Amino acid sequence: MRPVIICRRSRQLRGSVGAVPTPRGAVAGRSSSTDAGGKRIRLIVTDVDGTLLDSNQQLTPEVLQAVKEARGLGVPLVLATGKARGPWTADVLPRLELDTPGVFMQGLIVYDSQGRILYERRLAEDVTRDCVALAAKLGVTLTAYCGDRILCAATDNHTDRLLFYNEPPPEPVGDLGAAVSGSGGIAVHKMIFMADQDSIDALRPAAETLLAGRASLTTALTGMLEVLPLGCSKGTGVSWLLDWLGVAPEHVLALGDGENDVEMLQLAGLGVAMGNAGPKARAAADVVLERDNDQGGVADAIERFVLKPALHSLQQQL
């Protein structure tokens, strides 16, 4: 069974999102952290946990101000997160005053600003079945992300970690395999193996072998290994959205910190990793900031690569 791909590209729905406006003088590129290289930034795409939000899952005033100023220059913000479009959005989206689409669940679902699905990818049933069997064999927790629901066989200290991130509360269903299998089963977008990091490190080679050619693996948080439809990533979700919006990747500033941000950072005209970023995100980025997510790294990047270039351009015109 092949992974499910659903795209909704009607002109009416696209029009409800609106075109991304061209900024006035904002520039960016791949040359260095101080010389942006002359390419205009038209869109900022940011990861959420470990990037946009601080370690307490809060939006700092500094970040909010930078986002507001960039929007005033015609450079809007788009979220690209591994999370579901769950309870956390009720606080974050209104404060950011976003009217842009968003990329969720590691690029597997793109929603418009009203929460309507524009694009989605789902796991094939044989992949979900094998993940359930592997988790049972190794004695690790497994969660299934199904739209705005998270299912598990039983809640435990691992599934409880998701509550800190204000994800949809995990729902214990007993037999997870039965809940997501067959014609009446619930469609699954991704699955996450959850355990201590040593167990995840030991599990990953087995998962890679078992799912080779059928699924892609990534990590966003310590103690979690995510299973996605083959070839999917935040990068593919962002790429689809950019095509839908008519924005070239070279005009995008992307911000992230984790392995799951690698493809997005590589896609963007300017990929910027936070000071707290892991090795894979650092290697994929064009710029690594000194400031981390607790020090307003997102605000720093917006100031350096959007606001200051715009001011410089204005001064040259005077």
Side-chain angles (χ1 to χ4, degrees):
M1 181 177 178
R2 295 181 178 179
V4 178
I5 306 174
I6 300 175
C7 302
R8 300 179 175 90
R9 301 181 64 123
S10 71
R11 291 184 179 273
Q12 182 178 2
L13 192 55
R14 177 169 178 168
S16 70
V17 176
V20 176
T22 302
R24 297 190 292 273
V27 295
R30 290 188 174 272
S31 51
S32 73
S33 62
T34 56
D35 177 6
K39 294 179 182 177
R40 293 187 304 175
I41 294 298
R42 297 186 60 199
L43 190 68
I44 302 165
V45 181
T46 182
D47 170 50
V48 176
D49 295 329
T51 303
L52 182 71
L53 302 182
D54 66 17
S55 297
N56 294 315
Q57 295 294 291
Q58 299 298 311
L59 278 166
T60 65
E62 183 182 15
V63 168
L64 284 171
Q65 181 63 27
V67 171
K68 178 180 178 180
E69 291 183 14
R71 184 170 61 243
L73 292 172
V75 185
L77 182 82
V78 164
L79 301 183
T81 178
K83 299 165 80 165
R85 199 177 190 274
W88 64 274
T89 61
D91 175 58
V92 173
L93 299 188
R95 294 186 66 198
L96 289 170
E97 300 178 3
L98 295 185
D99 59 0
T100 51
V103 178
F104 292 77
M105 220 175 291
Q106 308 298 14
L108 303 182
I109 305 182
V110 178
Y111 294 94
D112 73 5
S113 60
Q114 304 302 311
R116 295 171 294 195
I117 295 176
L118 301 176
Y119 163 91
E120 66 177 314
R121 293 286 304 271
R122 300 172 183 167
L123 281 175
E125 188 175 322
D126 63 301
V127 172
T128 65
R129 181 175 59 248
D130 286 349
C131 286
V132 170
L134 181 62
K137 177 181 178 181
L138 299 180
V140 301
T141 298
L142 182 68
T143 56
Y145 277 62
C146 311
D148 58 0
R149 301 174 66 190
I150 300 176
L151 308 183
C152 57
T155 56
D156 57 21
N157 61 312
H158 295 297
T159 63
D160 287 349
R161 290 182 61 196
L162 299 174
L163 301 177
F164 172 76
Y165 298 99
N166 212 11
E167 289 269 51
E171 304 173 35
V173 296
D175 188 340
L176 181 60
V180 299
S181 299
S183 58
I186 301 169
V188 178
H189 293 89
K190 71 172 184 176
M191 292 186 128
I192 305 183
F193 293 103
M194 308 179 72
D196 62 85
Q197 189 57 46
D198 287 344
S199 296
I200 292 297
D201 290 340
L203 177 153
R204 186 161 188 164
E208 289 174 340
T209 299
L210 177 66
L211 302 174
R214 296 188 292 144
S216 294
L217 303 180
T218 193
T219 293
L221 297 169
T222 302
M224 300 186 193
L225 179 64
E226 306 201 14
V227 181
L228 314 178
L230 185 64
C232 288
S233 67
K234 274 192 196 178
T236 59
V238 170
S239 179
W240 186 93
L241 178 57
L242 295 181
D243 179 65
W244 193 82
L245 291 171
V247 176
E250 67 188 73
H251 297 301
V252 173
L253 167 64
L255 309 168
D257 74 299
E259 175 185 335
N260 60 319
D261 297 314
V262 165
E263 293 85 358
M264 178 178 75
L265 294 172
Q266 293 173 332
L267 170 72
L270 184 63
V272 176
M274 299 295 104
N276 54 293
K280 292 185 178 181
R282 287 172 173 264
D286 302 295
V287 175
V288 178
L289 301 176
E290 292 185 5
R291 294 167 64 178
D292 61 25
N293 63 315
D294 288 327
Q295 299 167 324
V298 165
D300 181 27
I302 293 174
E303 174 72 20
R304 291 168 61 180
F305 301 116
V306 178
L307 304 182
K308 284 186 177 179
L311 177 59
H312 178 68
S313 176
L314 177 62
Q315 289 172 338
Q316 287 185 323
Q317 295 172 23
L318 295 177

